[in-house]
Amino acid sequence: MRNLNEDTITQAVIASLGGCGDSRLRTVMTSLVQHLHSFARETKLTEAEWQAAIAFLTAVGHITDDKRQEFILLSDVLGLSTLVTAQNHAKPAGCTEATVFGPFYVEGSPEYAQFDDIANGARGEPCFVSGYVRALDGQPLANALLEVWQADEDGHYDVQLVPEDDGTHAHRARGKLRTDANGRFAFRSILAEPYPIPHDGPVGAMLDALGRHPWRPAHLHFMIEAPGYETLITHVFRDGDRYLDSDAVFGVRSTLVAQWVQQPSGTAPDGSQMDVPFYTLDYDFVLNPKGPGR
Ligand code: BEZ
Ligand code: FE
């Protein structure tokens, strides 16, 4: 393996993987090397460009910590997250579609009862959310676990706000709740608003250089689990949002777009009296049964 040149280097690297005992790793790395080398050949990558790419990835690494995952953001804005989600979650027609997870899920959020206010002080116009979780045949799924998370009216998730004195973040506009015996859930929160993904780092600079904006259309995140069903990670998007057709992370699916309806002040779905107008969202989820090996 000497005197490798432009024409022989790819095969030599692939041959070097022959001793890898993990056949899946060998398959993935062989393909990665082939595509990476093809990319360099096709673009006639210069040394300056190679160096800029290394500097960019180094900056992505440097800004990443346990609160900020710039690599996932990079995957998101390049459409890789949507591609991987789509190819791993093909479902029968009628099931609720999955979309990207995003970086703002937090484990250990509080569990709420039906009609509780999960906003917990997050700023925004009041919004009452309800719906059913069902199987494909329409059967209601009782006791399904829903986790919900969303940004406030300024477009910030709780984890992006200034922490409390002890360095932690109060859980705001996020929480868990369970469907009742009829498969129904209901909670109070705040109106979802569009927001820009974190764009003060290398990924934001890349979007700028590419002439792209960092905005996501207004949405609510859901993760729904029920025994015997594939866990559903998805969003519900707000109809009419100006970014529905230019989501910075390519996550919008038409079946996930729903109406947030503005209601006049008066009796709210939880029976309380609202002295300000509020919004309602009604959206049903259909889970995919687990297949063999899933
Ligand atoms: C989100 O919706 O929370 C999100 C998804 C991808 C990148 C950034 C944010
Ligand atoms: Fe989000």
Side-chain angles (χ1 to χ4, degrees), residues 104 157 195 216 219 221 235:
F104 296 121
Y157 285 82
Y195 66 85
R216 298 216 64 205
H219 58 272
H221 292 259
H235 312 351

Side-chain angles (χ1 to χ4, degrees), residues 149-172:
W149 64 105
Q150 71 167 110
D152 67 14
E153 67 180 7
D154 301 317
H156 294 122
Y157 285 82
D158 50 6
V159 288
Q160 296 176 288
L161 299 173
V162 179
E164 314 285 309
D165 289 344
D166 64 0
T168 62
H169 288 94
H171 296 289
R172 299 196 199 283

Side-chain angles (χ1 to χ4, degrees), residues 37-261:
H37 287 209
S38 296
F39 156 77
R41 285 195 182 90
E42 188 182 307
T43 58
K44 299 201 180 347
L45 197 69
T46 66
E47 284 175 302
E49 288 163 346
W50 175 86
Q51 256 161 5
I54 298 289
F56 173 76
L57 290 174
T58 304
V60 170
H62 281 163
I63 204 171
T64 296
D65 60 20
D66 58 341
K67 300 227 162 50
R68 170 124 184 203
Q69 232 308 350
E70 195 81 355
F71 281 105
I72 294 186
L73 210 55
L74 179 58
S75 161
D76 293 339
V77 302
L78 293 179
L80 181 62
S81 307
T82 285
L83 170 58
V84 172
T85 300
Q87 70 183 4
N88 283 283
H89 294 278
K91 296 172 202 281
C95 287
T96 306
E97 294 187 271
T99 190
V100 293
F101 197 33
F104 296 121
Y105 171 77
V106 170
E107 274 181 26
S109 67
E111 185 146 357
Y112 288 98
Q114 298 277 355
F115 289 118
D116 277 354
D117 183 359
I118 72 163
N120 189 28
R123 288 153 48 92
E125 293 188 64
C127 179
F128 294 83
V129 182
S130 59
Y132 288 90
V133 179
R134 300 187 198 274
L136 253 182
D137 62 2
Q139 176 208 336
L141 297 179
N143 211 33
L145 178 67
L146 291 94
E147 289 204 56
V148 188
W149 64 105
Q150 71 167 110
D152 67 14
E153 67 180 7
D154 301 317
H156 294 122
Y157 285 82
D158 50 6
V159 288
Q160 296 176 288
L161 299 173
V162 179
E164 314 285 309
D165 289 344
D166 64 0
T168 62
H169 288 94
H171 296 289
R172 299 196 199 283
R174 71 170 72 238
K176 301 187 184 79
L177 73 159
R178 289 189 180 271
T179 52
D180 68 14
N182 300 314
R184 186 156 175 81
F185 64 88
F187 61 92
R188 176 176 170 168
S189 188
I190 50 174
L191 179 64
E193 300 280 6
Y195 66 85
I197 61 170
H199 59 109
D200 56 343
V203 169
M206 185 187 86
L207 291 180
D208 257 359
L210 296 174
R212 284 175 53 183
H213 73 70
W215 287 83
R216 298 216 64 205
H219 58 272
L220 258 181
H221 292 259
F222 285 88
M223 175 153 73
I224 306 181
E225 291 177 76
Y229 293 84
E230 197 185 306
T231 297
L232 172 66
I233 293 172
T234 196
H235 312 351
V236 181
F237 293 93
R238 196 169 138 204
D239 198 14
D241 191 290
R242 61 192 177 285
Y243 297 111
L244 281 173
D245 289 310
S246 66
D247 181 7
V249 306
F250 307 99
V252 179
R253 315 204 63 81
S254 302
T255 58
L256 301 176
V257 177
Q259 298 281 340
W260 267 249
V261 183

